[in-house]
Amino acid sequence: MTDIESRIDTTRPHTARIWNYWTGGKDNYPVDREAGDRIRALHPGIGEYAKADRLFLGRAVRHLAGQKGIRQFLDIGTGLPSADNTHEVAQRVAPDARVVYVDNDPLVLAHARALLVGTPEGRTDYLDADLRDIDTILAAASKTLDLSQPVALMLLGVVIFIEDDEESYAIVRRLLDALAPGSHLVLSHTVTHPDMPDVDEAVAFWNEHGTPKLTQRTPAAVARYFDGLELLEPGVVSCSAWRPETPTADVAMYAGVGRK
């Protein structure tokens, strides 16, 4: 058994694998599918959050690469490879785009090769690190990215794993402080909302049975990650409402894009 394989726990459901199951992927185990079905029974629409978040990623990356001239992406909390990963979206628009993926999930690491196949003109890299390992992330990313030039910092569904509010805000701020003016923050976060009480029940079930545990925040608390940045329209909204091609129902996953 390799070191990576020894780190994969197939006895407890895992967020990345359930997300993968909900989006139609095959990199999951029976325990993940069972938990995913239980959560979906508590909140039937929750499987749509994963799809809405992935579509938001595509729209945000296309906009930044196509309209804002961003050619560098630092994607932390990558998750399992899926359709339209960050480098695929970016390099369709700008073949010379460079992308660094960061995740500490051993199953993601085991499938990282799928994230490293980009265009000949561009470059992709993968780093095994925790979101809290800021110095490690920045030092390693700087081997692929030029941090003196604008970077899109992608934090989709990852600061939910930092339970302490102030620690989570400090992490995002430290990462942004290391990036050049003109950089952008792309962030999504599960929210607690009075109009969606069944989401709270589903998250409570997850935190009792799954790993790692999730922290919900209010829409206002999610907006705070963008303090000091120039928010792109339409602001911090349901990720399904961020510049959609066709209108869809809101989901309890809020997102925004802000410019430094």
Side-chain angles (χ1 to χ4, degrees), residues 213-232:
K213 298 190 184 306
L214 314 180
T215 298
Q216 291 170 280
R217 294 184 169 93
T218 64
V222 175
R224 186 179 160 192
Y225 290 105
F226 296 90
D227 283 357
L229 303 179
E230 176 191 342
L231 261 177
L232 277 61

Side-chain angles (χ1 to χ4, degrees), residues 99-208:
V99 179
V100 172
Y101 292 105
V102 182
D103 208 301
N104 69 339
D105 184 321
L107 189 62
V108 176
L109 181 61
H111 290 269
R113 284 200 188 109
L115 295 171
L116 302 180
V117 181
T119 60
E121 303 94 327
R123 185 173 171 187
T124 60
D125 202 356
Y126 182 89
L127 173 63
D128 179 16
D130 187 274
L131 173 62
R132 297 176 177 86
D133 299 333
I134 297 172
D135 292 338
T136 298
I137 290 172
L138 293 172
S142 67
K143 297 176 183 178
T144 300
L145 309 178
D146 179 357
L147 300 187
S148 69
Q149 298 298 313
V151 173
L153 173 62
M154 313 284 295
L155 296 173
L156 274 68
V158 64
V159 292
I160 61 175
F161 301 123
I162 307 296
E163 182 177 4
D164 183 81
D165 288 345
E166 295 310 315
E167 181 186 9
S168 73
Y169 294 127
I171 287 170
V172 175
R173 183 53 50 194
R174 278 191 61 196
L175 287 165
L176 284 170
D177 285 348
L179 303 181
S183 293
H184 288 70
L185 171 64
V186 182
L187 181 144
S188 67
H189 196 300
T190 303
V191 298
T192 179
H193 196 292
D195 293 341
M196 303 173 181
D198 47 350
V199 176
D200 298 347
E201 185 179 1
V203 170
F205 172 86
W206 170 257
N207 285 340
E208 182 179 352

Side-chain angles (χ1 to χ4, degrees), residues 21-66:
Y21 170 53
W22 281 338
T23 54
K26 298 179 180 178
D27 299 315
N28 48 74
Y29 297 95
V31 67
D32 306 306
R33 295 190 285 275
E34 180 182 352
D37 290 340
R38 290 278 301 277
I39 293 169
R40 193 149 43 190
L42 292 170
H43 180 53
I46 203 165
E48 298 303 312
Y49 294 12
K51 297 174 185 177
D53 195 46
R54 175 61 55 164
L55 291 172
F56 162 70
L57 179 152
R59 295 194 300 273
V61 170
R62 282 193 297 273
H63 178 75
L64 293 179

